[in-house]
Amino acid sequence: MKDVVFRNMERLLLLDGEQERERIEPMTEWKWQQLYKIAVKYGIGPWIADGIKTYSDDFFLQMSPTLRQEFLLLQGPKDENRLSRYLLQIERSRGFIHHLSKQSLKAYASELVSNIKNIEE
């Protein structure tokens, strides 16, 4: 089962302009800091920053102004490969490999081709 940090991260990451937004679940400042660390570690900050801007009116998007500013500073160019690799890693670690998203499937195929090339060399 996914915990609240990952559920909220999915909400912030996977926004689709045509779908209705799910409400953010309440989190402590410490959990928001964990989400920030994950965003930085995996280079998915630009998506999270966009999600925070989109959810700015959500009651449960409660974090210190300093942390909110740190999230917003993560804005910048979006590297689709980083997002795909992050989603693939999460799906693998959570045992959801049989439910691959389109982006994760591309990352999985790319990784497989890379491994095959390494074996052939």
Side-chain angles (χ1 to χ4, degrees), residues 2 6 10 20 26 39 51-52 54 62 64 78 84 93 106-108 110-111 114 119:
K2 296 182 204 174
F6 286 99
E10 283 181 344
E20 188 173 326
I52 286 176
T54 301
Q62 296 180 3
S64 69
K78 295 179 178 179
S84 295
S93 69
K106 287 180 186 176
Y108 183 72
S110 174
E111 186 178 299
S114 175
I119 292 170

Side-chain angles (χ1 to χ4, degrees), residues 63-82:
M63 65 185 79
S64 69
T66 304
L67 185 57
R68 182 182 300 261
Q69 186 61 33
E70 287 182 39
F71 271 114
L72 295 178
L73 289 174
L74 295 176
Q75 290 175 307
K78 295 179 178 179
D79 182 345
E80 294 292 330
N81 288 330
R82 284 182 181 226

